[in-house]
């Protein structure tokens, strides 16, 4: 699969979030062999937990499944750029690579680019942004207008 194929799956996961009354944020985790091992999305309203973003839910779920707190070698595909809380959790979990679709909106609670945060990280990860950006932005903007 290509980066675009994986991102397309993350965007589809974000669509599930919308159908469940959540914000359109989806995440896909790929293991070192290229196999999709976890999909998740925003569940803030469902769980009454402001930290229940897709990335956090995915980290919690996969770490529990693997019985391991390190996800070194794993790659995250997120429909939108992770917020600072999610990015910090990804660093703590030792994620190796991040691909994101749309850039964080300027109205986010803490709009600091992940690239900037990554320069301060003890163990930075590889980051590639703007994968299927147009599709991710369109999805996010249509959710806001509804």
């Amino acid at each position: 699969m290509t980066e675009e194929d994986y991102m397309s799956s993350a965007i589809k996961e974000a669509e599930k979030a919308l159908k469940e009354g959540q914000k359109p944020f989806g995440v896909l985790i790929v293991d070192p062999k290229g196999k999709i091992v976890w999909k998740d999305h925003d569940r803030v309203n469902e769980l009454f937990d402001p930290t229940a973003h897709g990335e956090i839910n995915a980290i919690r779920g996969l770490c529990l499944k693997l019985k391991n707190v390190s996800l070194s070698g794993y790659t995250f595909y997120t429909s939108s750029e992770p917020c600072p809380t999610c990015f910090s959790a990804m660093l703590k979990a030792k994620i190796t690579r991040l691909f994101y679709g749309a850039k964080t909106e300027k109205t986010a609670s803490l709009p600091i680019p992940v690239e900037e945060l990554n320069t301060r990280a003890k163990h930075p990860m590889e980051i590639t942004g703007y994968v299927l950006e147009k599709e991710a932005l369109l999805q996010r903007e249509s959710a806001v207008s509804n």
Side-chain angles (χ1 to χ4, degrees):
M1 289 180 72
T2 67
E3 280 77 23
E4 289 80 11
D5 293 332
Y6 290 126
M7 186 60 68
S8 181
S9 291
I11 291 170
K12 286 176 186 166
E13 189 65 26
E15 195 63 36
K16 287 182 187 177
L18 279 175
K19 290 177 182 171
E20 294 173 9
Q22 306 291 332
K23 292 190 178 176
F25 301 114
V27 61
L28 180 82
I29 304 177
V30 176
D31 73 9
K33 295 178 183 175
K35 180 182 175 193
I36 298 169
V37 293
W38 200 270
K39 294 179 187 180
D40 223 315
H41 56 270
D42 187 274
R43 296 177 191 276
V44 170
N45 297 329
E46 172 191 343
L47 300 175
F48 300 97
D49 177 356
T51 67
H53 293 187
E55 299 91 338
I56 301 290
N57 299 332
I59 290 167
R60 288 175 177 160
L62 186 57
C63 284
L64 186 62
K65 178 182 174 184
L66 298 174
K67 306 270 189 263
N68 193 340
V69 297
S70 174
L71 297 177
S72 180
Y74 288 77
T75 301
F76 271 49
Y77 290 84
T78 62
S79 58
S80 286
E81 178 184 22
C83 73
T85 300
C86 291
F87 187 71
S88 179
M90 293 167 71
L91 288 170
K92 289 280 190 185
K94 299 181 177 75
I95 304 305
T96 301
R97 277 177 298 287
L98 164 66
F99 291 86
Y100 68 84
K103 203 73 177 144
T104 297
E105 62 274 358
K106 290 178 175 74
T107 58
S109 57
L110 193 57
I112 302 172
V114 292
E115 293 85 358
E116 182 180 330
L117 294 170
N118 203 41
T119 65
R120 298 173 179 228
K122 186 176 180 180
H123 301 289
M125 69 179 75
E126 297 172 35
I127 300 174
T128 302
Y130 309 104
V131 179
L132 296 183
E133 177 190 28
K134 182 180 174 187
E135 292 86 342
L137 270 175
L138 185 63
Q139 179 186 58
R140 191 168 71 199
E141 289 169 358
S142 69
V144 171
S145 65
N146 288 336

